[in-house]
Amino acid sequence: MAEPLVRIFDTTLRDGEQSPGVSLNLHEKLEIARQLARLGVDIIEAGFPIASPGEMAAVQAIAAEVRGPVICALARTRRGDIDAAAQALRTAERARIHTFTSGSRVHLEHMLRLTEDQALEMAVDAVRYARKFTDDVEFSAQDVARADPAFLVRLYAAAVDAGASTINVPDTVGYSTPGEFAGIVGFLRERAEDLNPDVIVSVHTHDDLGLAVANALAGVEAGALQIECAVNGIGERAGNCALEEVVMALLTRRDHYGRAVAVRTEELYRTSRLVSKLSGMVVQPNKAVVGANAFAHEAGIHQDGVLKERSTYEIMRPEDVGVPETRLVLGKHSGRHALRERLTALGYGLGEAEFARAFERFKELADKKRGISDADLAAIVQAEVVAAAPEVYRLEYFQVTAGNTTVPTATVRVALLRSLSGADAGGGPGPVRGDACAAVQESATGDGPVDAVYRAIDRAVGREFRLDDYALRAVTGDKDAIGEVTIRLSDASGRTATALGASTDVIEASARAYMAAVNKLCGMPEARPGTEAAALAAGERQV
Ligand code: KIV
Ligand code: ZN
């Protein structure tokens, strides 16, 4: 008999986007949703449409374009929320409305200011109302781990009775332990199945105690057939159950769990990189499955073992999760054909213009670095081709003087490629605004060389930006490794952009990332209060 399928419900774009400091724009959300469809998740929770016009627009765009997974929208147990969710999902191939309340007294009394009976009544009304728009209705009660089990049974039974086809059991604050959580899930599942044997029980776990994946797996052992998770485990506070970890645990230990998963695991690494780049949330090197060290063997005894027989120290193969093999085959004598083949093997199907850009950067890199690995190539192409915004400004060159006895000073030359209008032109007396193809040179000093370059760029474009986050990682372990810089930048009107830069020179990588973020901000619509852009800029969302 075939093993029961555990559905993967991805909430990267909803709960994941609630990570502090993360704000994805519509274009970025669509790109992630397309990749999630390629990955083969069963359900994409695309957003919370009532939260802002930007959320509404993003869910609408995903529902209209992305085919394959069910597209889900979140709604509180209020008719207005459900109307917004239904409207956002109108063009979805398959639509799910996910309505939620809270189960614990602390949430009901202090946050929702509802009695248990009022919460239950609203839940029943919300599920019934959502069923008018779709048969696929999911119901959740936040904070089950701290709730009274007797109330939970009443609440979930009422939701199933009202027509919920999936009941989701969230450990909202990451408080539970695997044994305890399995108990709650098993208990609720038995009572729900008495009412509707086809109901799907889902688990939604948070990582406050580092137990999100363990708790989700315990839920599966107690009969859950859906796991809610986010790529790289991003999300509120310590995050959500990490999709790549829970999927690989289920598959690697299929002998133990006896469950199937429909995800195409070879897409996991690429999905992780994309989410990391667009969210600006850097993946720690020792992160399970997708971290830079996940398949690296340092100790001599381990290396020896792996060389003799991989399974001595590897329980998964890097190729199973799509980690690019490090093969030092490309160098400065490699031509277009070799590069095209390598990029195709890495899964990058680039158009002519994109390929030309990739080739140009490859040649620049090959002049500086002897052997170019797949990881190097992926870093450059992802940063400067796939995730690049259309150029408004181009950094023509930069020069830096730095050292422990000098004040760091940078000179940059920046060209304006497209003329700007209105607020995007900045407002200050910038020297290049409005002059298509004009270029300007500026210098600045700073606390360090990167700071000096950033100040000089601000001067050159005639605007000041705020650097909200900066992270640097080495793509490989060598001394001549490529440095990959991820930054988050915001402007005076509160719009934020995340961008990447990659180079063997970390100052150049930093400058490239900054320029890319500036280009993204300059390409965004003006954030007037009440507009979609303002909502996106403010990253309005709630739960
Ligand atoms: O953590 C939580 O409880 C949630 C719900 C909306 C499912 O995210
Ligand atoms: Zn959550």
Side-chain angles (χ1 to χ4, degrees):
M1 210 175 78
E3 294 153 323
L5 178 82
V6 173
R7 291 145 187 84
I8 298 300
F9 175 114
D10 179 274
T11 186
T12 308
L13 296 172
R14 199 278 298 168
D15 213 332
E17 210 228 358
Q18 288 174 219
S19 304
V22 173
S23 175
L24 299 165
N25 65 33
L26 187 145
H27 173 75
E28 291 165 338
K29 286 187 183 178
L30 248 179
E31 201 175 330
I32 291 176
R34 288 186 198 119
Q35 178 58 25
L36 290 171
R38 234 172 272 137
L39 176 66
V41 303
D42 300 280
I43 301 114
I44 295 175
E45 188 165 49
F48 187 24
I50 194 77
S52 73
E55 279 281 296
M56 168 67 88
V59 180
Q60 275 173 331
I62 292 167
E65 186 193 306
V66 177
R67 295 292 173 254
V70 171
I71 308 299
C72 173
L74 187 68
R76 289 167 299 185
T77 50
R78 297 183 186 181
R79 289 191 174 206
D81 284 35
I82 292 166
D83 285 332
Q87 189 194 333
L89 294 170
R90 224 168 22 85
T91 55
E93 187 181 34
R94 290 182 295 153
R96 171 178 298 187
I97 296 176
H98 176 192
T99 185
F100 75 101
T101 184
S102 282
S104 68
R105 289 235 165 90
V106 60
H107 273 215
L108 290 174
E109 274 174 26
H110 298 289
M111 189 173 72
L112 301 183
R113 303 198 191 286
L114 294 174
T115 64
E116 289 183 345
D117 285 343
Q118 285 168 328
L120 186 143
E121 213 175 286
M122 286 173 74
V124 168
D125 183 65
V127 172
R128 285 208 183 112
Y129 188 62
R131 281 294 302 257
K132 292 189 194 300
F133 300 102
T134 171
D135 290 345
D136 191 345
V137 174
E138 174 170 329
F139 172 76
S140 296
Q142 289 187 96
D143 202 18
V144 294
R146 296 187 299 166
D148 170 11
F151 174 58
L152 288 181
V153 169
R154 274 208 304 136
L155 182 61
Y156 277 103
V160 174
D161 227 21
S165 44
T166 300
I167 54 164
N168 179 43
V169 184
D171 177 18
T172 306
V173 291
Y175 179 73
S176 210
T177 62
E180 180 189 69
F181 194 61
I184 300 171
V185 171
F187 171 72
L188 292 176
R189 181 181 62 77
E190 278 168 24
R191 274 137 196 94
E193 284 177 356
D194 285 344
L195 294 168
N196 174 6
D198 295 327
V199 74
I200 298 290
V201 176
S202 164
V203 285
H204 178 112
T205 51
H206 279 268
D207 211 29
D208 299 66
L209 294 174
L211 292 172
V213 173
N215 284 343
L217 292 169
V220 168
E221 291 192 89
L225 287 178
Q226 174 178 291
I227 297 175
E228 302 200 351
C229 45
V231 176
N232 299 336
I234 65 172
E236 284 281 7
R237 307 179 310 278
N240 281 265
C241 171
L243 182 150
E244 59 286 349
E245 293 181 22
V246 84
V247 163
M248 288 316 289
L250 283 173
L251 291 176
T252 307
R253 295 308 313 275
R254 209 164 172 160
D255 60 320
H256 176 77
Y257 292 106
R259 296 285 182 264
V261 180
V263 162
R264 284 184 278 279
T265 60
E266 324 79 69
E267 293 289 335
L268 283 172
Y269 183 76
R270 192 165 343 152
T271 313
S272 161
R273 296 298 305 138
L274 181 71
V275 169
S276 170
K277 280 159 205 259
L278 296 183
S279 66
M281 302 269 293
V282 174
V283 173
Q284 80 211 44
N286 61 330
K287 167 91 171 59
V289 182
V290 292
N293 295 349
F295 296 95
H297 304 277
E298 173 72 26
I301 194 165
H302 287 212
Q303 288 182 349
D304 182 52
V306 169
L307 287 173
K308 286 178 178 146
E309 166 55 46
R310 265 166 99 154
S311 62
T312 48
Y313 284 99
E314 279 186 5
I315 58 165
M316 299 168 272
R317 297 178 312 166
E319 57 268 36
D320 291 342
V321 300
V323 170
E325 248 181 279
T326 300
R327 286 200 279 163
L328 302 178
V329 287
L330 294 182
K332 67 188 210 179
H333 301 298
S334 306
R336 288 173 177 274
H337 183 67
L339 181 69
R340 171 77 83 183
E341 278 204 343
R342 207 69 222 113
L343 288 175
T344 308
L346 290 173
Y348 292 106
L350 303 183
E352 278 316 309
E354 287 176 324
F355 178 74
R357 176 99 193 96
F359 189 68
E360 187 189 317
R361 283 293 287 133
F362 163 71
K363 281 290 175 189
E364 281 167 20
L365 182 63
D367 273 341
K368 295 183 189 152
K369 192 173 193 288
R370 241 159 32 104
I372 296 178
S373 69
D374 289 351
D376 292 335
L377 260 188
I380 292 285
V381 169
Q382 191 72 39
E384 304 204 11
V385 181
V386 178
E391 277 185 310
V392 176
Y393 294 104
R394 178 176 295 165
L395 181 65
E396 293 193 330
Y397 72 73
F398 74 94
Q399 242 172 20
V400 175
T401 326
N404 62 352
T405 54
T406 40
V407 177
T409 309
T411 302
V412 302
R413 185 176 161 87
V414 173
L416 175 70
L417 304 183
R418 282 202 275 137
S419 85
L420 300 172
S421 61
D424 288 324
V432 296
R433 278 168 287 104
D435 306 329
C437 300
V440 67
Q441 185 164 308
E442 277 292 350
S443 297
T445 55
D447 289 343
V450 172
D451 185 40
V453 170
Y454 287 179
R455 286 173 193 272
I457 292 176
D458 282 1
R459 281 195 184 162
V461 302
R463 295 172 68 173
E464 263 187 39
F465 301 95
R466 202 181 70 196
L467 184 64
D468 296 325
D469 204 4
Y470 175 98
L472 166 67
R473 74 168 194 122
V475 170
T476 53
D478 330 320
K479 279 201 192 112
D480 64 347
I482 288 189
E484 186 184 66
V485 171
T486 309
I487 65 165
R488 196 170 58 245
L489 206 63
S490 56
D491 67 9
S493 65
R495 298 178 296 186
T496 53
T498 301
L500 301 160
S503 169
T504 47
D505 175 342
V506 294
I507 300 182
E508 184 182 340
S510 307
R512 284 179 177 276
Y514 198 82
M515 217 58 252
V518 169
N519 280 330
K520 278 192 183 172
L521 287 171
C522 290
M524 281 181 191
E526 186 185 352
R528 274 186 224 95
T531 63
E532 178 187 317
L536 275 170
E540 285 168 18
R541 52 185 183 258
Q542 50 172 295
V543 170

